[in-house]
Amino acid sequence: MGNPLSLCVVALDPVLEAGAVSALSGNPDIALVQPEEKADVAVVIFDRVARRELDLVNATGTGPHRPAVIVIASDLSPAEAADAINAGARGLLRRHEVNADRLARTVLTVAGGDCTVPPDLIDGLLDQGTGTDTYPGARGRGPDWGLDERERAVLRMVADGRETDEIAKELCYSARTVTTVVRDITQRFRLRNRAHAVAYALRTGLL
């Protein structure tokens, strides 16, 4: 078994911070550290998505140790989810959906280079877009730099956790076509793998 992941919890409300620390403290795969220490993952918790909170997400993810950031909010609309992603979030969770197991799984997923978004927000994010400069730190690009419809469909299903064979069956493609589409995306944007492709697409507005 490898070394545990280092994780810090950042919250404007100390009660929320204490709850997250308590939920994660018994997990052998996670080592809790202070926000000023080096962390692989940072969990940022707040009630509402507003400028102050988005600034906190951005500052956490762009700090000296650049941890992967998970946002836990009381609720998330597609527009708020897009703002959080543009501010630097790699994982999104709603507070009422979080328990110790789900939070730990999300931490491990994000630390592995993947991204995670509540499934019901995927369609809204596609409609909303995440590169529209709704947050000043957004790094989106113009629409002519994006993905075609087939690429968006495949990558959306990858983001939803679907395997290659499932995607092929759903979209009536061959498994080879799906693999080729993902490979083309990763090569075009110089990404490491399909997980990196999803995270990058959500962060830059390609999805």
Side-chain angles (χ1 to χ4, degrees), residues 77-90 92 115 117 121-143 145-147 152 155 159 197-207:
S77 69
E80 290 168 338
D83 285 346
I85 290 168
N86 283 331
R90 290 276 295 277
L92 302 176
C115 62
V117 176
L121 287 177
I122 294 292
D123 284 336
L125 279 171
L126 291 174
D127 294 336
Q128 180 72 28
T130 56
T132 55
D133 293 331
T134 51
Y135 176 74
R139 291 178 287 175
R141 308 208 180 211
W145 194 75
L147 304 171
R152 281 166 56 89
L155 203 54
V198 172
Y200 180 82
L202 288 171
R203 286 280 298 278
T204 59
L206 293 173
L207 273 183

mmCIF file of all heavy atoms in Angstrom, residues 77-90 92 115 117 121-143 145-147 152 155 159 197-207:
data_model
loop_
_atom_site.group_PDB
_atom_site.id
_atom_site.type_symbol
_atom_site.label_atom_id
_atom_site.label_comp_id
_atom_site.label_asym_id
_atom_site.label_seq_id
_atom_site.Cartn_x
_atom_site.Cartn_y
_atom_site.Cartn_z
ATOM 1 N N SER A 77 -26.056 25.235 -8.769
ATOM 2 C CA SER A 77 -26.731 25.314 -10.058
ATOM 3 C C SER A 77 -25.675 25.092 -11.139
ATOM 4 O O SER A 77 -24.472 25.175 -10.870
ATOM 5 C CB SER A 77 -27.363 26.694 -10.226
ATOM 6 O OG SER A 77 -26.347 27.683 -10.366
ATOM 7 N N PRO A 78 -26.090 24.820 -12.389
ATOM 8 C CA PRO A 78 -25.101 24.690 -13.460
ATOM 9 C C PRO A 78 -24.206 25.915 -13.594
ATOM 10 O O PRO A 78 -22.997 25.787 -13.798
ATOM 11 C CB PRO A 78 -25.966 24.478 -14.706
ATOM 12 C CG PRO A 78 -27.198 23.810 -14.188
ATOM 13 C CD PRO A 78 -27.443 24.456 -12.853
ATOM 14 N N ALA A 79 -24.772 27.110 -13.462
ATOM 15 C CA ALA A 79 -23.956 28.321 -13.573
ATOM 16 C C ALA A 79 -22.942 28.407 -12.436
ATOM 17 O O ALA A 79 -21.781 28.777 -12.648
ATOM 18 C CB ALA A 79 -24.852 29.561 -13.570
ATOM 19 N N GLU A 80 -23.377 28.050 -11.223
ATOM 20 C CA GLU A 80 -22.454 28.078 -10.085
ATOM 21 C C GLU A 80 -21.384 27.005 -10.216
ATOM 22 O O GLU A 80 -20.222 27.226 -9.857
ATOM 23 C CB GLU A 80 -23.242 27.896 -8.793
ATOM 24 C CG GLU A 80 -24.109 29.093 -8.437
ATOM 25 C CD GLU A 80 -25.087 28.792 -7.322
ATOM 26 O OE1 GLU A 80 -25.410 27.609 -7.099
ATOM 27 O OE2 GLU A 80 -25.552 29.762 -6.681
ATOM 28 N N ALA A 81 -21.774 25.835 -10.735
ATOM 29 C CA ALA A 81 -20.793 24.784 -10.965
ATOM 30 C C ALA A 81 -19.749 25.235 -11.984
ATOM 31 O O ALA A 81 -18.548 24.996 -11.813
ATOM 32 C CB ALA A 81 -21.489 23.513 -11.456
ATOM 33 N N ALA A 82 -20.202 25.901 -13.048
ATOM 34 C CA ALA A 82 -19.270 26.425 -14.055
ATOM 35 C C ALA A 82 -18.320 27.446 -13.442
ATOM 36 O O ALA A 82 -17.114 27.449 -13.717
ATOM 37 C CB ALA A 82 -20.049 27.041 -15.215
ATOM 38 N N ASP A 83 -18.851 28.326 -12.592
ATOM 39 C CA ASP A 83 -18.005 29.312 -11.925
ATOM 40 C C ASP A 83 -16.950 28.632 -11.061
ATOM 41 O O ASP A 83 -15.786 29.039 -11.038
ATOM 42 C CB ASP A 83 -18.851 30.237 -11.058
ATOM 43 C CG ASP A 83 -19.634 31.262 -11.871
ATOM 44 O OD1 ASP A 83 -19.323 31.423 -13.068
ATOM 45 O OD2 ASP A 83 -20.542 31.894 -11.304
ATOM 46 N N ALA A 84 -17.363 27.600 -10.327
ATOM 47 C CA ALA A 84 -16.424 26.899 -9.450
ATOM 48 C C ALA A 84 -15.331 26.200 -10.254
ATOM 49 O O ALA A 84 -14.155 26.216 -9.869
ATOM 50 C CB ALA A 84 -17.172 25.896 -8.582
ATOM 51 N N ILE A 85 -15.699 25.596 -11.366
ATOM 52 C CA ILE A 85 -14.713 24.938 -12.222
ATOM 53 C C ILE A 85 -13.754 25.965 -12.809
ATOM 54 O O ILE A 85 -12.541 25.774 -12.845
ATOM 55 C CB ILE A 85 -15.409 24.128 -13.324
ATOM 56 C CG1 ILE A 85 -16.100 22.906 -12.715
ATOM 57 C CG2 ILE A 85 -14.413 23.673 -14.392
ATOM 58 C CD1 ILE A 85 -17.041 22.194 -13.647
ATOM 59 N N ASN A 86 -14.298 27.074 -13.267
ATOM 60 C CA ASN A 86 -13.446 28.140 -13.807
ATOM 61 C C ASN A 86 -12.500 28.697 -12.749
ATOM 62 O O ASN A 86 -11.398 29.154 -13.072
ATOM 63 C CB ASN A 86 -14.312 29.263 -14.374
ATOM 64 C CG ASN A 86 -14.906 28.915 -15.726
ATOM 65 O OD1 ASN A 86 -14.330 28.155 -16.481
ATOM 66 N ND2 ASN A 86 -16.076 29.454 -16.011
ATOM 67 N N ALA A 87 -12.926 28.680 -11.496
ATOM 68 C CA ALA A 87 -12.075 29.165 -10.409
ATOM 69 C C ALA A 87 -11.002 28.157 -10.026
ATOM 70 O O ALA A 87 -10.081 28.502 -9.287
ATOM 71 C CB ALA A 87 -12.926 29.508 -9.193
ATOM 72 N N GLY A 88 -11.130 26.915 -10.520
ATOM 73 C CA GLY A 88 -10.079 25.933 -10.276
ATOM 74 C C GLY A 88 -10.515 24.624 -9.667
ATOM 75 O O GLY A 88 -9.682 23.754 -9.392
ATOM 76 N N ALA A 89 -11.809 24.405 -9.430
ATOM 77 C CA ALA A 89 -12.273 23.163 -8.804
ATOM 78 C C ALA A 89 -12.125 21.985 -9.759
ATOM 79 O O ALA A 89 -12.427 22.088 -10.942
ATOM 80 C CB ALA A 89 -13.728 23.301 -8.370
ATOM 81 N N ARG A 90 -11.688 20.848 -9.206
ATOM 82 C CA ARG A 90 -11.614 19.607 -9.974
ATOM 83 C C ARG A 90 -12.711 18.634 -9.568
ATOM 84 O O ARG A 90 -12.980 17.667 -10.267
ATOM 85 C CB ARG A 90 -10.253 18.947 -9.738
ATOM 86 C CG ARG A 90 -9.087 19.678 -10.366
ATOM 87 C CD ARG A 90 -8.904 19.321 -11.819
ATOM 88 N NE ARG A 90 -8.553 17.930 -11.968
ATOM 89 C CZ ARG A 90 -7.307 17.462 -11.836
ATOM 90 N NH1 ARG A 90 -6.322 18.284 -11.530
ATOM 91 N NH2 ARG A 90 -7.058 16.193 -12.002
ATOM 92 N N LEU A 92 -16.765 18.541 -7.536
ATOM 93 C CA LEU A 92 -17.896 19.290 -6.994
ATOM 94 C C LEU A 92 -18.817 18.335 -6.257
ATOM 95 O O LEU A 92 -19.158 17.269 -6.761
ATOM 96 C CB LEU A 92 -18.685 19.976 -8.114
ATOM 97 C CG LEU A 92 -17.929 20.954 -9.026
ATOM 98 C CD1 LEU A 92 -18.855 21.445 -10.135
ATOM 99 C CD2 LEU A 92 -17.390 22.127 -8.221
ATOM 100 N N CYS A 115 -11.732 14.059 -12.692
ATOM 101 C CA CYS A 115 -12.619 15.088 -12.162
ATOM 102 C C CYS A 115 -13.955 14.427 -11.849
ATOM 103 O O CYS A 115 -14.269 13.367 -12.378
ATOM 104 C CB CYS A 115 -12.816 16.219 -13.165
ATOM 105 S SG CYS A 115 -13.592 15.705 -14.686
ATOM 106 N N VAL A 117 -18.177 15.404 -11.032
ATOM 107 C CA VAL A 117 -19.259 16.388 -11.005
ATOM 108 C C VAL A 117 -20.560 15.626 -10.763
ATOM 109 O O VAL A 117 -20.735 14.531 -11.308
ATOM 110 C CB VAL A 117 -19.338 17.146 -12.352
ATOM 111 C CG1 VAL A 117 -20.514 18.102 -12.371
ATOM 112 C CG2 VAL A 117 -18.045 17.881 -12.635
ATOM 113 N N LEU A 121 -25.651 17.606 -13.073
ATOM 114 C CA LEU A 121 -25.114 18.895 -13.518
ATOM 115 C C LEU A 121 -24.421 18.818 -14.873
ATOM 116 O O LEU A 121 -24.108 19.855 -15.457
ATOM 117 C CB LEU A 121 -24.111 19.438 -12.486
ATOM 118 C CG LEU A 121 -24.696 19.982 -11.188
ATOM 119 C CD1 LEU A 121 -23.576 20.406 -10.249
ATOM 120 C CD2 LEU A 121 -25.622 21.160 -11.463
ATOM 121 N N ILE A 122 -24.177 17.594 -15.367
ATOM 122 C CA ILE A 122 -23.422 17.460 -16.608
ATOM 123 C C ILE A 122 -24.121 18.177 -17.763
ATOM 124 O O ILE A 122 -23.525 18.974 -18.478
ATOM 125 C CB ILE A 122 -23.203 15.978 -16.970
ATOM 126 C CG1 ILE A 122 -22.284 15.310 -15.932
ATOM 127 C CG2 ILE A 122 -22.605 15.838 -18.360
ATOM 128 C CD1 ILE A 122 -20.869 15.782 -15.948
ATOM 129 N N ASP A 123 -25.424 17.909 -17.954
ATOM 130 C CA ASP A 123 -26.152 18.555 -19.051
ATOM 131 C C ASP A 123 -26.136 20.070 -18.898
ATOM 132 O O ASP A 123 -25.948 20.804 -19.866
ATOM 133 C CB ASP A 123 -27.601 18.060 -19.112
ATOM 134 C CG ASP A 123 -27.713 16.665 -19.706
ATOM 135 O OD1 ASP A 123 -26.797 16.283 -20.460
ATOM 136 O OD2 ASP A 123 -28.689 15.975 -19.400
ATOM 137 N N GLY A 124 -26.347 20.531 -17.678
ATOM 138 C CA GLY A 124 -26.353 21.966 -17.444
ATOM 139 C C GLY A 124 -25.016 22.606 -17.721
ATOM 140 O O GLY A 124 -24.939 23.719 -18.246
ATOM 141 N N LEU A 125 -23.934 21.901 -17.394
ATOM 142 C CA LEU A 125 -22.596 22.432 -17.672
ATOM 143 C C LEU A 125 -22.350 22.518 -19.173
ATOM 144 O O LEU A 125 -21.732 23.459 -19.658
ATOM 145 C CB LEU A 125 -21.537 21.547 -17.013
ATOM 146 C CG LEU A 125 -21.294 21.784 -15.527
ATOM 147 C CD1 LEU A 125 -20.387 20.689 -14.958
ATOM 148 C CD2 LEU A 125 -20.667 23.146 -15.303
ATOM 149 N N LEU A 126 -22.843 21.518 -19.900
ATOM 150 C CA LEU A 126 -22.681 21.557 -21.351
ATOM 151 C C LEU A 126 -23.417 22.749 -21.950
ATOM 152 O O LEU A 126 -22.924 23.412 -22.861
ATOM 153 C CB LEU A 126 -23.191 20.262 -21.981
ATOM 154 C CG LEU A 126 -22.360 19.012 -21.684
ATOM 155 C CD1 LEU A 126 -23.055 17.783 -22.240
ATOM 156 C CD2 LEU A 126 -20.962 19.124 -22.276
ATOM 157 N N ASP A 127 -24.613 23.031 -21.433
ATOM 158 C CA ASP A 127 -25.379 24.173 -21.925
ATOM 159 C C ASP A 127 -24.780 25.487 -21.457
ATOM 160 O O ASP A 127 -24.728 26.469 -22.200
ATOM 161 C CB ASP A 127 -26.832 24.090 -21.446
ATOM 162 C CG ASP A 127 -27.572 22.905 -22.051
ATOM 163 O OD1 ASP A 127 -27.161 22.444 -23.132
ATOM 164 O OD2 ASP A 127 -28.540 22.451 -21.432
ATOM 165 N N GLN A 128 -24.314 25.480 -20.203
ATOM 166 C CA GLN A 128 -23.788 26.704 -19.613
ATOM 167 C C GLN A 128 -22.429 27.077 -20.192
ATOM 168 O O GLN A 128 -22.129 28.230 -20.451
ATOM 169 C CB GLN A 128 -23.657 26.509 -18.091
ATOM 170 C CG GLN A 128 -23.111 27.702 -17.335
ATOM 171 C CD GLN A 128 -24.112 28.828 -17.256
ATOM 172 O OE1 GLN A 128 -25.305 28.581 -17.291
ATOM 173 N NE2 GLN A 128 -23.637 30.047 -17.163
ATOM 174 N N GLY A 129 -21.609 26.034 -20.382
ATOM 175 C CA GLY A 129 -20.234 26.292 -20.789
ATOM 176 C C GLY A 129 -19.414 26.699 -19.586
ATOM 177 O O GLY A 129 -19.904 27.272 -18.636
ATOM 178 N N THR A 130 -18.108 26.359 -19.610
ATOM 179 C CA THR A 130 -17.235 26.721 -18.497
ATOM 180 C C THR A 130 -16.096 27.593 -18.964
ATOM 181 O O THR A 130 -15.094 27.729 -18.291
ATOM 182 C CB THR A 130 -16.675 25.455 -17.829
ATOM 183 O OG1 THR A 130 -16.010 24.682 -18.824
ATOM 184 C CG2 THR A 130 -17.759 24.648 -17.185
ATOM 185 N N GLY A 131 -16.234 28.245 -20.102
ATOM 186 C CA GLY A 131 -15.177 29.109 -20.561
ATOM 187 C C GLY A 131 -15.702 30.478 -20.922
ATOM 188 O O GLY A 131 -15.177 31.133 -21.809
ATOM 189 N N THR A 132 -16.714 30.941 -20.222
ATOM 190 C CA THR A 132 -17.387 32.169 -20.591
ATOM 191 C C THR A 132 -16.971 33.368 -19.756
ATOM 192 O O THR A 132 -17.633 34.392 -19.758
ATOM 193 C CB THR A 132 -18.913 31.978 -20.441
ATOM 194 O OG1 THR A 132 -19.189 31.546 -19.102
ATOM 195 C CG2 THR A 132 -19.435 30.941 -21.414
ATOM 196 N N ASP A 133 -15.854 33.195 -18.997
ATOM 197 C CA ASP A 133 -15.316 34.288 -18.201
ATOM 198 C C ASP A 133 -16.300 34.792 -17.157
ATOM 199 O O ASP A 133 -16.287 35.954 -16.777
ATOM 200 C CB ASP A 133 -14.871 35.463 -19.094
ATOM 201 C CG ASP A 133 -13.680 35.107 -19.952
ATOM 202 O OD1 ASP A 133 -12.887 34.269 -19.517
ATOM 203 O OD2 ASP A 133 -13.542 35.674 -21.040
ATOM 204 N N THR A 134 -17.180 33.904 -16.661
ATOM 205 C CA THR A 134 -18.063 34.303 -15.580
ATOM 206 C C THR A 134 -17.283 34.547 -14.305
ATOM 207 O O THR A 134 -17.728 35.287 -13.433
ATOM 208 C CB THR A 134 -19.120 33.214 -15.333
ATOM 209 O OG1 THR A 134 -18.457 31.949 -15.194
ATOM 210 C CG2 THR A 134 -20.091 33.134 -16.498
ATOM 211 N N TYR A 135 -16.130 33.904 -14.172
ATOM 212 C CA TYR A 135 -15.216 34.194 -13.080
ATOM 213 C C TYR A 135 -13.948 34.784 -13.694
ATOM 214 O O TYR A 135 -13.474 34.291 -14.714
ATOM 215 C CB TYR A 135 -14.872 32.916 -12.293
ATOM 216 C CG TYR A 135 -13.855 33.164 -11.220
ATOM 217 C CD1 TYR A 135 -14.209 33.835 -10.047
ATOM 218 C CD2 TYR A 135 -12.540 32.773 -11.383
ATOM 219 C CE1 TYR A 135 -13.270 34.086 -9.069
ATOM 220 C CE2 TYR A 135 -11.597 33.026 -10.403
ATOM 221 C CZ TYR A 135 -11.965 33.680 -9.251
ATOM 222 O OH TYR A 135 -11.030 33.931 -8.292
ATOM 223 N N PRO A 136 -13.353 35.829 -13.109
ATOM 224 C CA PRO A 136 -12.213 36.487 -13.739
ATOM 225 C C PRO A 136 -11.023 35.581 -13.985
ATOM 226 O O PRO A 136 -10.230 35.829 -14.880
ATOM 227 C CB PRO A 136 -11.850 37.594 -12.721
ATOM 228 C CG PRO A 136 -13.112 37.863 -11.993
ATOM 229 C CD PRO A 136 -13.829 36.548 -11.909
ATOM 230 N N GLY A 137 -10.905 34.501 -13.203
ATOM 231 C CA GLY A 137 -9.782 33.603 -13.402
ATOM 232 C C GLY A 137 -10.029 32.554 -14.468
ATOM 233 O O GLY A 137 -9.212 31.666 -14.677
ATOM 234 N N ALA A 138 -11.172 32.597 -15.138
ATOM 235 C CA ALA A 138 -11.498 31.598 -16.151
ATOM 236 C C ALA A 138 -10.482 31.609 -17.259
ATOM 237 O O ALA A 138 -9.996 32.634 -17.683
ATOM 238 C CB ALA A 138 -12.894 31.866 -16.725
ATOM 239 N N ARG A 139 -10.212 30.371 -17.760
ATOM 240 C CA ARG A 139 -9.219 30.260 -18.811
ATOM 241 C C ARG A 139 -9.832 29.662 -20.069
ATOM 242 O O ARG A 139 -9.232 28.862 -20.754
ATOM 243 C CB ARG A 139 -8.058 29.393 -18.315
ATOM 244 C CG ARG A 139 -7.255 30.085 -17.235
ATOM 245 C CD ARG A 139 -6.152 29.199 -16.741
ATOM 246 N NE ARG A 139 -6.693 28.113 -15.926
ATOM 247 C CZ ARG A 139 -5.926 27.129 -15.448
ATOM 248 N NH1 ARG A 139 -4.662 27.086 -15.723
ATOM 249 N NH2 ARG A 139 -6.468 26.180 -14.708
ATOM 250 N N GLY A 140 -11.060 30.018 -20.376
ATOM 251 C CA GLY A 140 -11.727 29.483 -21.549
ATOM 252 C C GLY A 140 -11.167 30.055 -22.837
ATOM 253 O O GLY A 140 -10.444 31.036 -22.845
ATOM 254 N N ARG A 141 -11.526 29.427 -23.946
ATOM 255 C CA ARG A 141 -11.054 29.853 -25.253
ATOM 256 C C ARG A 141 -12.245 30.020 -26.179
ATOM 257 O O ARG A 141 -13.363 29.691 -25.843
ATOM 258 C CB ARG A 141 -10.072 28.831 -25.816
ATOM 259 C CG ARG A 141 -8.955 28.497 -24.817
ATOM 260 C CD ARG A 141 -7.732 28.098 -25.537
ATOM 261 N NE ARG A 141 -6.686 27.779 -24.583
ATOM 262 C CZ ARG A 141 -5.402 27.965 -24.821
ATOM 263 N NH1 ARG A 141 -5.019 28.517 -25.943
ATOM 264 N NH2 ARG A 141 -4.504 27.622 -23.948
ATOM 265 N N GLY A 142 -11.993 30.513 -27.343
ATOM 266 C CA GLY A 142 -13.055 30.793 -28.283
ATOM 267 C C GLY A 142 -13.738 29.548 -28.790
ATOM 268 O O GLY A 142 -13.184 28.457 -28.731
ATOM 269 N N PRO A 143 -14.966 29.654 -29.298
ATOM 270 C CA PRO A 143 -15.730 28.494 -29.729
ATOM 271 C C PRO A 143 -15.099 27.763 -30.898
ATOM 272 O O PRO A 143 -15.312 26.575 -31.061
ATOM 273 C CB PRO A 143 -17.088 29.089 -30.109
ATOM 274 C CG PRO A 143 -16.828 30.540 -30.362
ATOM 275 C CD PRO A 143 -15.733 30.910 -29.442
ATOM 276 N N TRP A 145 -12.158 26.924 -31.179
ATOM 277 C CA TRP A 145 -11.042 26.136 -30.682
ATOM 278 C C TRP A 145 -11.530 24.880 -29.980
ATOM 279 O O TRP A 145 -10.767 24.125 -29.408
ATOM 280 C CB TRP A 145 -10.247 26.997 -29.692
ATOM 281 C CG TRP A 145 -8.907 26.458 -29.336
ATOM 282 C CD1 TRP A 145 -7.774 26.460 -30.084
ATOM 283 C CD2 TRP A 145 -8.551 25.831 -28.094
ATOM 284 N NE1 TRP A 145 -6.737 25.888 -29.401
ATOM 285 C CE2 TRP A 145 -7.191 25.499 -28.176
ATOM 286 C CE3 TRP A 145 -9.252 25.523 -26.930
ATOM 287 C CZ2 TRP A 145 -6.507 24.872 -27.141
ATOM 288 C CZ3 TRP A 145 -8.574 24.897 -25.899
ATOM 289 C CH2 TRP A 145 -7.217 24.578 -26.015
ATOM 290 N N GLY A 146 -12.832 24.592 -30.033
ATOM 291 C CA GLY A 146 -13.413 23.562 -29.183
ATOM 292 C C GLY A 146 -13.456 22.183 -29.799
ATOM 293 O O GLY A 146 -12.639 21.812 -30.640
ATOM 294 N N LEU A 147 -14.442 21.424 -29.356
ATOM 295 C CA LEU A 147 -14.655 20.054 -29.775
ATOM 296 C C LEU A 147 -15.826 19.980 -30.740
ATOM 297 O O LEU A 147 -16.745 20.783 -30.652
ATOM 298 C CB LEU A 147 -14.964 19.180 -28.555
ATOM 299 C CG LEU A 147 -13.937 19.170 -27.414
ATOM 300 C CD1 LEU A 147 -14.520 18.433 -26.219
ATOM 301 C CD2 LEU A 147 -12.645 18.523 -27.858
ATOM 302 N N ARG A 152 -17.611 15.919 -28.185
ATOM 303 C CA ARG A 152 -18.314 16.356 -26.970
ATOM 304 C C ARG A 152 -19.160 15.223 -26.394
ATOM 305 O O ARG A 152 -19.201 15.019 -25.175
ATOM 306 C CB ARG A 152 -19.211 17.560 -27.294
ATOM 307 C CG ARG A 152 -18.463 18.872 -27.392
ATOM 308 C CD ARG A 152 -19.327 19.947 -28.055
ATOM 309 N NE ARG A 152 -20.595 20.146 -27.385
ATOM 310 C CZ ARG A 152 -20.782 20.999 -26.377
ATOM 311 N NH1 ARG A 152 -19.778 21.724 -25.938
ATOM 312 N NH2 ARG A 152 -21.977 21.139 -25.827
ATOM 313 N N LEU A 155 -16.772 12.603 -24.771
ATOM 314 C CA LEU A 155 -16.114 13.103 -23.572
ATOM 315 C C LEU A 155 -17.115 13.341 -22.443
ATOM 316 O O LEU A 155 -16.808 13.146 -21.270
ATOM 317 C CB LEU A 155 -15.354 14.392 -23.891
ATOM 318 C CG LEU A 155 -14.198 14.740 -22.938
ATOM 319 C CD1 LEU A 155 -13.215 13.580 -22.831
ATOM 320 C CD2 LEU A 155 -13.485 15.983 -23.410
ATOM 321 N N ALA A 159 -16.851 11.700 -18.810
ATOM 322 C CA ALA A 159 -16.994 12.492 -17.588
ATOM 323 C C ALA A 159 -18.033 11.893 -16.654
ATOM 324 O O ALA A 159 -17.943 12.037 -15.432
ATOM 325 C CB ALA A 159 -17.385 13.931 -17.937
ATOM 326 N N ALA A 197 -8.135 14.507 -19.820
ATOM 327 C CA ALA A 197 -8.920 15.153 -20.880
ATOM 328 C C ALA A 197 -10.232 15.714 -20.336
ATOM 329 O O ALA A 197 -10.631 16.831 -20.666
ATOM 330 C CB ALA A 197 -9.198 14.158 -22.010
ATOM 331 N N VAL A 198 -10.906 14.939 -19.486
ATOM 332 C CA VAL A 198 -12.167 15.410 -18.911
ATOM 333 C C VAL A 198 -11.922 16.624 -18.023
ATOM 334 O O VAL A 198 -12.612 17.639 -18.126
ATOM 335 C CB VAL A 198 -12.850 14.282 -18.107
ATOM 336 C CG1 VAL A 198 -14.050 14.827 -17.342
ATOM 337 C CG2 VAL A 198 -13.298 13.170 -19.045
ATOM 338 N N ALA A 199 -10.929 16.517 -17.148
ATOM 339 C CA ALA A 199 -10.634 17.644 -16.248
ATOM 340 C C ALA A 199 -10.270 18.896 -17.037
ATOM 341 O O ALA A 199 -10.751 20.001 -16.747
ATOM 342 C CB ALA A 199 -9.482 17.254 -15.302
ATOM 343 N N TYR A 200 -9.471 18.724 -18.060
ATOM 344 C CA TYR A 200 -9.047 19.870 -18.862
ATOM 345 C C TYR A 200 -10.232 20.477 -19.615
ATOM 346 O O TYR A 200 -10.388 21.702 -19.673
ATOM 347 C CB TYR A 200 -7.978 19.403 -19.858
ATOM 348 C CG TYR A 200 -7.443 20.496 -20.747
ATOM 349 C CD1 TYR A 200 -6.442 21.357 -20.290
ATOM 350 C CD2 TYR A 200 -7.916 20.653 -22.043
ATOM 351 C CE1 TYR A 200 -5.938 22.347 -21.100
ATOM 352 C CE2 TYR A 200 -7.418 21.661 -22.862
ATOM 353 C CZ TYR A 200 -6.426 22.500 -22.389
ATOM 354 O OH TYR A 200 -5.931 23.500 -23.202
ATOM 355 N N ALA A 201 -11.077 19.608 -20.174
ATOM 356 C CA ALA A 201 -12.225 20.109 -20.940
ATOM 357 C C ALA A 201 -13.180 20.902 -20.061
ATOM 358 O O ALA A 201 -13.696 21.954 -20.461
ATOM 359 C CB ALA A 201 -12.957 18.946 -21.617
ATOM 360 N N LEU A 202 -13.443 20.412 -18.852
ATOM 361 C CA LEU A 202 -14.327 21.130 -17.949
ATOM 362 C C LEU A 202 -13.702 22.442 -17.483
ATOM 363 O O LEU A 202 -14.374 23.452 -17.356
ATOM 364 C CB LEU A 202 -14.668 20.261 -16.742
ATOM 365 C CG LEU A 202 -15.619 19.085 -16.995
ATOM 366 C CD1 LEU A 202 -15.702 18.182 -15.768
ATOM 367 C CD2 LEU A 202 -16.998 19.568 -17.395
ATOM 368 N N ARG A 203 -12.395 22.417 -17.245
ATOM 369 C CA ARG A 203 -11.724 23.604 -16.726
ATOM 370 C C ARG A 203 -11.619 24.710 -17.766
ATOM 371 O O ARG A 203 -11.643 25.900 -17.448
ATOM 372 C CB ARG A 203 -10.314 23.240 -16.252
ATOM 373 C CG ARG A 203 -10.261 22.478 -14.950
ATOM 374 C CD ARG A 203 -10.401 23.393 -13.756
ATOM 375 N NE ARG A 203 -9.321 24.350 -13.681
ATOM 376 C CZ ARG A 203 -8.128 24.082 -13.156
ATOM 377 N NH1 ARG A 203 -7.880 22.886 -12.649
ATOM 378 N NH2 ARG A 203 -7.203 25.020 -13.108
ATOM 379 N N THR A 204 -11.472 24.339 -19.043
ATOM 380 C CA THR A 204 -11.200 25.353 -20.071
ATOM 381 C C THR A 204 -12.400 25.682 -20.929
ATOM 382 O O THR A 204 -12.304 26.518 -21.831
ATOM 383 C CB THR A 204 -10.061 24.880 -20.996
ATOM 384 O OG1 THR A 204 -10.433 23.648 -21.623
ATOM 385 C CG2 THR A 204 -8.758 24.694 -20.217
ATOM 386 N N GLY A 205 -13.534 25.018 -20.702
ATOM 387 C CA GLY A 205 -14.727 25.358 -21.462
ATOM 388 C C GLY A 205 -14.934 24.570 -22.728
ATOM 389 O O GLY A 205 -15.814 24.886 -23.524
ATOM 390 N N LEU A 206 -14.155 23.496 -22.938
ATOM 391 C CA LEU A 206 -14.364 22.655 -24.105
ATOM 392 C C LEU A 206 -15.639 21.831 -23.972
ATOM 393 O O LEU A 206 -16.251 21.460 -24.965
ATOM 394 C CB LEU A 206 -13.167 21.715 -24.324
ATOM 395 C CG LEU A 206 -11.854 22.416 -24.715
ATOM 396 C CD1 LEU A 206 -10.723 21.426 -24.734
ATOM 397 C CD2 LEU A 206 -12.007 23.090 -26.068
ATOM 398 N N LEU A 207 -16.027 21.531 -22.740
ATOM 399 C CA LEU A 207 -17.295 20.857 -22.483
ATOM 400 C C LEU A 207 -18.285 21.879 -21.949
ATOM 401 O O LEU A 207 -17.932 22.659 -21.082
ATOM 402 C CB LEU A 207 -17.116 19.730 -21.453
ATOM 403 C CG LEU A 207 -16.705 18.378 -21.983
ATOM 404 C CD1 LEU A 207 -16.637 17.373 -20.855
ATOM 405 C CD2 LEU A 207 -17.629 17.867 -23.072
#
